[in-house]
Amino acid sequence: QVQLAESGGGLVEPGGSLRLSCAASGSISGINAMGWYRQPPGKQRELVATITRGGTTNYADSVKGRATITISRDIAKRTVYLQMNSLKPEDTAGYFCNANWGVAMRDYWGQGTQVTVSS
């Protein structure tokens, strides 16, 4: 099993920045990829970005054109980050860390961290 713990959410004004962290523990050697998803109020959960075991990153079309959202990782710290700059009110959502694990590609989820962009 894999346990995921997110942190770094909060209230920020438009144009501000946040860095979300997701610390993984447990059977992390079996992780194929990790990613961030978000769920805006009243909407379905959607992909933001993923990073594979090999370090390849992928971004959702909705954020791909924004150089201000970047996924990265620190292998030694077993942590994946989502750096978000120039935040907009439409970025307001619960942000969830995901780990895709093993041959069966099982999904593990963290409990989420809330990001609110508002003046």
Side-chain angles (χ1 to χ4, degrees):
Q1 285 192 341
V2 173
Q3 294 80 43
L4 303 172
E6 303 104 329
S7 61
L11 174 64
V12 63
E13 293 185 348
S17 299
L18 283 174
R19 187 177 78 160
L20 307 183
S21 300
C22 174
S25 60
S27 302
I28 63 171
S29 62
I31 293 176
N32 302 310
M34 291 184 68
W36 287 96
Y37 290 71
R38 67 185 180 185
Q39 187 166 13
K43 297 184 179 181
Q44 291 186 333
R45 193 171 296 186
E46 61 184 18
L47 170 71
V48 179
T50 61
I51 185 165
T52 69
R53 183 204 301 267
T56 300
T57 58
N58 178 61
Y59 294 88
D61 288 343
S62 60
V63 302
K64 193 173 291 185
R66 295 174 62 180
T68 55
I69 292 182
T70 306
I71 190 169
S72 63
R73 65 182 181 180
D74 185 326
I75 294 175
K77 294 183 178 179
R78 304 177 177 184
T79 300
V80 171
Y81 303 98
L82 189 70
Q83 178 69 44
M84 301 188 292
N85 301 325
S86 301
L87 283 162
K88 304 176 181 180
E90 52 262 42
D91 294 315
T92 295
Y95 283 72
F96 297 86
C97 182
N98 168 273
N100 182 271
W101 188 91
V103 176
M105 302 185 75
R106 178 176 177 177
D107 282 320
Y108 288 92
W109 295 93
Q111 292 190 333
T113 185
Q114 179 66 33
V115 170
T116 302
V117 185
S118 174
S119 56

